[in-house]
Amino acid sequence: MPAKTAKKPPLPADDETVEIAELGESLGFLLRIAQLRAFEAFFDELSALGLRPGEFTALWLVLRNPGMKQGAIARSLCIKPAHMTKLVDRLVTAGLIERVASPEDRRAVHLSLTPEGETFAAARKDDFLALHQAERGNLSEAEFSDLTRLLKKYSGLD
Amino acid sequence: MPAKTAKKPPLPADDETVEIAELGESLGFLLRIAQLRAFEAFFDELSALGLRPGEFTALWLVLRNPGMKQGAIARSLCIKPAHMTKLVDRLVTAGLIERVASPEDRRAVHLSLTPEGETFAAARKDDFLALHQAERGNLSEAEFSDLTRLLKKYSGLD
DNA sequence: CCAATTTAGTTTCCATGGAAACTTTATCCG
DNA sequence: CGGATAAAGTTTCCATGGAAACTAAATTGG
């Protein structure tokens, strides 16, 4: 049986070692795996919050942009309108944010934190910073900053 | 109406420009946005294929690891067993791969390409390489290679 | 100023993918 | 050997998120 040359030691073919081959250069694949890791970090750190990643992110953005229209928040997070409606519903039900009808445009809705939401965000600020540490994983500070810079450039967020 | 100045200068608050703030340093957020871009690249390039990213990836791995057990493929792609069953079902229905009962372990299933699958993979090899180009997007060769290296390290794929 | 178009958000429906329970087979250990 | 446990896949059910159709309101062109 021909030795299945893996990258490091010339492994004999066992029935578990899979040759990833070109996938190791596939950005789509690597991004998906990396996102799984990042989700793990999120839940390790913030599972006690009762918020999922999307909800947490939206809450944070409302904190930083009080009174912004729902659609503007959704676009900046690349969340589709249909999804945003449901996400905001959950945050409203949780008592963290509120919808305010726009005086100038009666179709539009402005989002802001409730007093409970303010309290919640203030209390969780440290968790958020801890999350950034946890997200770094096994990367050095410099590697982490390279990685975020490259991802921003790739995504067109510069 | 005030001119809506672009992203850079210290903007007065208009009702569309959202302050991303700390999210710009959140790896989870950046990975999600980057993955959306990568999906766009995939569909721009390979939409005519009739395969979704996961199916395409699984097919490629079976091509590179013929006869491997279904579970081993699933683990290496971080696909859960339940999902893998459905994904393989679709590829079998499409006539591209086949399940072969294992002679040593009657619970296990080995996957391999059908002749149609072989033909398909051979014909699409160039598309796969073109996809890698498309995935690079606006990154230079060096940046792309840095990015994939950092993602692999972060994901523990070294 | 009114019809046509566009926009904000919601609703409904569907596809993707995970969790848990289950079936069948293999392994472990007394 | 034979019961307990573990493992490979599958099935069922559920949560997440997108597409399309819809409502209501704003804008635009004639």
Side-chain angles (χ1 to χ4, degrees):
Chain A
M1 182 170 283
K4 171 187 240 168
T5 54
K7 20 206 72 161
K8 319 194 171 166
L11 270 192
D14 62 45
D15 58 353
E16 184 60 30
T17 304
V18 174
E19 180 52 63
I20 296 288
E22 298 91 341
L23 282 184
E25 309 308 317
S26 165
L27 193 50
F29 174 69
L30 294 173
L31 286 169
R32 177 170 155 270
I33 303 298
Q35 203 177 22
L36 293 178
R37 292 277 180 280
F39 267 61
E40 281 173 23
F42 179 90
F43 285 113
D44 284 353
E45 203 65 30
L46 296 180
S47 60
L49 241 60
L51 293 182
R52 265 76 54 74
E55 293 161 4
F56 187 80
T57 304
L59 183 75
W60 204 265
L61 219 45
V62 174
L63 170 69
R64 289 292 181 240
N65 299 269
M68 188 67 62
K69 283 197 282 182
Q70 177 172 314
I73 299 279
R75 273 187 294 279
S76 72
L77 292 174
C78 300
I79 289 176
K80 292 294 186 300
H83 183 204
M84 189 66 178
T85 294
K86 294 176 246 184
L87 207 164
V88 169
D89 283 347
R90 292 196 295 266
L91 288 170
V92 168
T93 300
L96 296 173
I97 73 174
E98 58 191 353
R99 288 186 171 97
V100 179
S102 171
E104 316 112 20
D105 184 339
R106 293 170 49 200
R107 298 166 304 177
V109 168
H110 297 275
L111 300 180
S112 58
L113 295 186
T114 62
E116 294 80 12
E118 298 278 1
T119 306
F120 181 91
R124 264 46 179 213
K125 176 146 202 167
D126 288 347
D127 295 331
F128 185 74
L129 300 178
L131 174 60
H132 278 183
Q133 280 304 318
E135 274 181 326
R136 256 190 46 197
N138 58 348
L139 298 183
S140 73
E141 192 94 40
E143 288 171 328
F144 183 78
S145 113
D146 278 352
L147 180 53
T148 55
R149 180 179 50 77
L150 289 169
L151 286 172
K152 273 192 267 196
K153 176 162 186 195
Y154 178 71
S155 303
L157 289 181
D158 344 85
Chain B
M1 177 172 280
K4 175 192 242 174
T5 51
K7 24 206 73 161
K8 318 261 174 96
L11 268 194
D14 64 45
D15 58 354
E16 183 61 28
T17 303
V18 174
E19 180 51 63
I20 296 288
E22 298 92 341
L23 282 185
E25 309 308 316
S26 166
L27 193 50
F29 174 70
L30 293 173
L31 286 169
R32 176 170 156 270
I33 303 298
Q35 201 176 24
L36 292 177
R37 292 278 181 278
F39 268 60
E40 281 173 23
F42 179 90
F43 285 112
D44 284 354
E45 203 65 30
L46 296 180
S47 59
L49 241 59
L51 293 182
R52 265 78 54 72
E55 293 161 5
F56 188 79
T57 304
L59 183 76
W60 204 264
L61 219 45
V62 174
L63 170 68
R64 288 293 180 239
N65 300 270
M68 188 67 63
K69 283 198 281 183
Q70 177 172 316
I73 300 280
R75 274 187 294 279
S76 72
L77 291 174
C78 300
I79 289 176
K80 292 295 187 301
H83 184 204
M84 190 65 179
T85 295
K86 294 176 246 184
L87 208 163
V88 170
D89 284 347
R90 290 196 295 266
L91 288 170
V92 168
T93 299
L96 296 174
I97 73 174
E98 58 191 354
R99 288 187 170 98
V100 179
S102 172
E104 316 112 20
D105 185 339
R106 293 171 49 200
R107 297 166 304 179
V109 168
H110 297 276
L111 300 180
S112 58
L113 296 186
T114 61
E116 293 79 13
E118 297 279 359
T119 306
F120 181 91
R124 266 44 180 213
K125 177 147 203 168
D126 287 348
D127 295 332
F128 185 74
L129 300 178
L131 174 60
H132 278 185
Q133 280 304 318
E135 274 181 326
R136 255 188 46 195
N138 58 348
L139 297 183
S140 73
E141 192 94 40
E143 288 171 327
F144 184 78
S145 114
D146 278 353
L147 180 54
T148 55
R149 180 179 51 77
L150 289 169
L151 286 173
K152 273 192 267 195
K153 176 163 186 192
Y154 178 71
S155 304
L157 288 182
D158 346 85

